[in-house]
Amino acid sequence: MEFTPESGVAFPVRRKTVRKIAKGRRNHFTGQFTFGPDEGETMDVESNTELRVALVTLARPDVVGLENQVPFAWVKPDGKPATHHFDFRALMANGSRKAIMVKSEYRRLHPEVQLELAQIAAQVTPDFADEVVVMTERDIDPVEYFNAEIMHEMRHADFGADAAARATMGEISATAQIQNLVDKIGLGARGFRAIVRLIRSHELELVNKARITHEAYVRRRLS
């Protein structure tokens, strides 16, 4: 949701895909989340793992875009044509694309599922994706997910706090503890959320792999 200069509200646009995700299933997780510049789009997901993969992928500095439910035409071993919908396709900063299959670890371990996924991946050509990966809940790093979730939760701009945080960031010569930056900003929790947004926009980066907390150390992004 975005507030317009006329004090109106522009609601996010639901991203349209060829394959529709049925909502409201009693025994299966489905949902959607808002993302993109100015929270301009919503994306449907049909498992909690998909949601986690999406948040983690979008939070990575080498990812500049994310598509979902991307259709790919392939040929089965019996010669019959079929369509597989990749859960996501990530556009990387270097221009390459990564097609992502999201499965539960339980399903991934089934030999027939492994065989089909391998057959599909073998037919993917560079005009569709440069790399194919399968991700399950076991591939989601807890620290990376914690950070992706907190960045998503604190994504909404606070212009005064964000300006103060950016000014404080300009004073960093090496590394700084987040709590020290929050103290210099002088706005309490608003300052902490502003620092999180600077990490989200990749203007700041964590010095070491760690959860984004007051005790963590950051620096201006090196590249």
Side-chain angles (χ1 to χ4, degrees):
M1 184 174 64
E2 179 186 4
F3 292 95
T4 66
E6 295 77 22
S7 299
V9 175
F11 288 96
V13 176
R14 176 171 291 182
R15 178 173 287 187
K16 295 181 180 180
T17 57
V18 175
R19 178 174 176 270
K20 300 298 181 183
I21 294 176
K23 299 287 194 346
R25 298 180 184 178
R26 289 181 178 270
N27 300 314
H28 187 66
F29 179 102
T30 60
Q32 66 182 35
F33 70 98
T34 307
F35 72 105
D38 299 319
E39 302 298 293
E41 290 187 85
T42 61
M43 180 183 293
D44 293 333
V45 291
E46 57 181 342
S47 73
N48 184 258
T49 304
E50 273 192 26
L51 175 61
R52 289 170 175 252
V53 168
L55 293 179
V56 165
T57 302
L58 285 166
R60 291 175 175 168
D62 59 343
V63 174
V64 297
L66 190 67
E67 303 171 87
N68 69 315
Q69 296 299 324
V70 186
F72 174 72
W74 68 291
V75 180
K76 295 182 177 181
D78 60 7
K80 294 182 179 180
T83 300
H84 174 82
H85 289 83
F86 279 89
D87 297 290
F88 302 109
R89 184 169 60 179
L91 174 61
M92 314 304 289
N94 64 5
S96 65
R97 291 180 294 181
K98 180 183 296 185
I100 305 172
M101 302 167 166
V102 180
K103 300 293 180 187
S104 68
E105 184 68 10
Y106 174 79
R107 285 202 64 207
R108 188 194 68 81
L109 292 175
H110 286 198
E112 62 272 19
V113 173
Q114 292 181 355
L115 178 60
E116 181 174 282
L117 296 183
Q119 291 168 342
I120 295 169
Q123 296 183 38
V124 171
T125 54
D127 63 313
F128 182 84
D130 301 277
E131 182 183 1
V132 176
V133 298
V134 180
M135 292 190 68
T136 76
E137 63 274 14
R138 292 189 63 182
D139 297 306
I140 300 172
D141 181 277
V143 173
E144 189 177 17
Y145 177 67
F146 177 92
N147 291 344
E149 188 175 43
I150 195 173
M151 286 190 281
H152 184 70
E153 289 176 353
M154 299 185 180
R155 65 195 183 277
H156 297 293
D158 177 343
F159 297 109
D162 292 345
R166 196 163 277 112
T168 301
M169 179 188 73
E171 300 173 6
I172 298 176
S173 58
T175 65
Q177 191 176 47
I178 290 178
Q179 182 59 60
N180 291 336
L181 296 177
V182 172
D183 291 341
K184 288 183 178 180
I185 293 169
L187 295 173
R190 291 174 61 198
F192 176 76
R193 291 193 290 269
I195 292 298
V196 173
R197 283 189 289 276
L198 290 179
I199 299 172
R200 182 175 184 262
S201 64
H202 312 304
E203 295 171 72
L204 287 177
E205 64 181 5
L206 293 163
V207 175
N208 300 304
K209 180 182 176 181
R211 295 189 176 203
I212 299 173
T213 65
H214 291 264
E215 292 73 32
Y217 283 81
V218 294
R219 63 190 172 200
R220 282 184 284 182
R221 191 179 175 197
L222 298 179
S223 61

